[in-house]
Amino acid sequence: MGWDPAEEHPEIAELLAAWALDAVMSGDAERIRAHVEDCADCAEELGRLREAVHRLDGPPAAPAKGARRGADKVGRGRLMAAARAARTGHDAPAAHAAPYAAAVASLEALLRELDGTPARWGTPVVHDWDVQGTVAHLIAADEPLAERLGMLPVTRAEAGGTGDAAPWEVRWAARTEEVVAYEHTRPPTETAEAWWTQAHGLLDLPEARAEEPASLPTALMGKRLPVADHYVIRAFETWIHTRDIGRALGLTVPSPPPVHLQRLVALAVRIVDLALGDGTRPVLLGVEGAAGGDWVLGPAAEPVAAELVLDAVDLCLLVGGRLTPQEVSRGQAGDAAAAQHVLATAASLAWL
């Protein structure tokens, strides 16, 4: 029976990244070499991968103002991840990182809708950002977690000329402005690639693949939470901005599935509860739907002063700054001031 290149194509295609990095066994190398001689698609893909490796291994150029330090490291990490996946199979993300993986996949799919229509990248979205600027913002917003987990050098103290003593909101806003300005000097597809590379780098870390390393607490964006919760925050923000882009382009972006939305809701409720502070009258918050539940916010030892019922997606949009306390649909009973205080506190947490 003769050798048929078509039958081997799926397996060889999975090995191309590994071969570009000299990470295959000699027997596999011979099979790949023979295959690409007869397969134009694989030969073209191999050329692209080798060029990427050459760029990443070459002497570093002087970074442009606003360029993300460590981008080469992340890019090579992406190729190494592909090589590892080709040899051993890629583990699914742990439950805490699964919502972020899904949100990243959703934004990837949405951005593919812009293929062939580059002008749509300039569509206004939110906060004076167009589509490219919104994706650039996500690059900056993902950086603190990437830095804390060792994927990027720590540079936040340098952002916008501010120091460590500056409030995190100031440093975050300065870095966002810097990255958005820099990304607008590049083609939108390069911005998308930079975001994709960093996001997938985060999803390839041990903290995204296992519960134990993600259980350690760390302070980011003004919140000291387990790393696992910071992955949920990344999911929250990525979904919110994917929704923003979809609305601007007239495209429907589905809400997270209930199993993911449940994690977003639980974290949002916990953060709202922490933010309520002393002197709050307890409110029974009921969140409707498959992702819902019931929580008492405020001092548990005191009698409940009010009941508040919200839809799960509406609660997330309230915390995400996309609905105001006046706009959000709700059921309410009891002390109106106590219920309003919960709504106002939830809305005040928005930084998106």
Side-chain angles (χ1 to χ4, degrees):
M1 183 174 180
W3 171 72
D4 184 355
E7 291 183 0
E8 279 202 329
H9 181 83
E11 181 182 357
I12 296 298
E14 290 294 324
L15 290 169
L16 290 177
W19 195 36
L21 290 161
D22 296 323
V24 297
M25 295 180 291
S26 58
D28 285 337
E30 291 300 323
R31 291 171 55 221
I32 296 167
R33 188 176 293 110
H35 179 84
V36 297
E37 288 178 358
D38 294 307
C39 179
D41 289 343
C42 285
E44 181 180 355
E45 176 66 6
L46 180 61
R48 187 186 68 80
L49 290 167
R50 280 177 165 169
E51 177 60 25
V53 172
H54 175 74
R55 290 197 306 269
L56 296 173
D57 284 340
K65 178 176 174 59
R68 296 184 309 119
R69 300 164 181 83
D72 286 355
K73 176 183 177 183
V74 177
R76 186 171 180 83
R78 174 184 163 191
L79 288 173
M80 288 302 296
R84 289 195 299 272
R87 296 307 306 166
T88 63
H90 216 239
D91 295 335
H96 65 268
Y100 180 53
V104 167
S106 178
L107 181 52
E108 287 181 74
L110 180 61
L111 295 180
R112 281 196 294 271
E113 295 291 323
L114 302 181
D115 290 349
T117 55
R120 299 183 78 191
W121 282 92
T123 303
V125 178
V126 67
H127 303 322
D128 296 325
W129 301 328
D130 57 9
V131 175
Q132 184 177 11
T134 305
V135 176
H137 161 69
L138 284 173
I139 294 173
D142 285 343
E143 279 185 350
L145 183 58
E147 291 173 354
R148 187 57 52 88
L149 298 182
M151 201 176 83
L152 295 175
V154 177
T155 60
R156 300 294 290 181
E158 301 171 18
T162 63
D164 278 327
W168 74 264
E169 296 94 339
V170 174
R171 288 181 282 122
W172 174 82
R175 182 56 181 160
T176 291
E177 182 178 353
E178 183 181 32
V179 174
V180 169
Y182 169 69
E183 292 298 334
H184 273 123
T185 69
R186 307 207 293 168
T189 52
E190 292 186 13
T191 299
E193 176 72 8
W195 164 76
W196 188 99
T197 298
Q198 182 169 261
H200 280 266
L202 283 168
L203 288 168
D204 193 50
L205 293 174
E207 289 84 354
R209 302 285 167 182
E211 299 290 346
E212 185 175 356
S215 65
L216 298 176
T218 188
L220 288 175
M221 311 287 279
K223 297 174 179 62
R224 184 170 180 81
L225 298 166
V227 168
D229 285 345
H230 287 292
Y231 270 97
V232 177
I233 290 173
R234 301 314 321 130
F236 196 112
E237 184 161 6
T238 303
W239 163 58
I240 288 287
H241 286 308
T242 301
R243 182 179 179 273
D244 291 338
I245 293 171
R247 288 167 64 87
L249 297 174
L251 300 171
T252 300
V253 173
S255 300
V259 67
H260 296 166
L261 188 59
Q262 192 171 43
R263 283 187 172 266
L264 271 61
V265 166
L267 182 61
V269 169
R270 185 146 49 93
I271 292 175
V272 170
D273 193 30
L274 290 172
L276 285 172
D278 298 333
T280 298
R281 300 192 68 190
V283 173
L284 176 61
L285 173 64
V287 179
E288 295 184 317
D294 295 312
W295 293 266
V296 175
L297 305 181
E302 298 181 18
V304 168
E307 295 183 16
L308 187 61
V309 179
L310 299 175
D311 173 75
V313 172
D314 283 355
L315 171 63
C316 292
L317 294 177
L318 179 67
V319 173
R322 298 306 183 265
L323 287 176
T324 68
Q326 293 72 37
E327 294 170 333
V328 68
S329 298
R330 61 187 180 272
Q332 183 176 316
D335 187 333
Q340 183 64 28
H341 180 54
V342 169
L343 295 172
T345 300
S348 74
L349 299 174
W351 75 95
L352 309 180

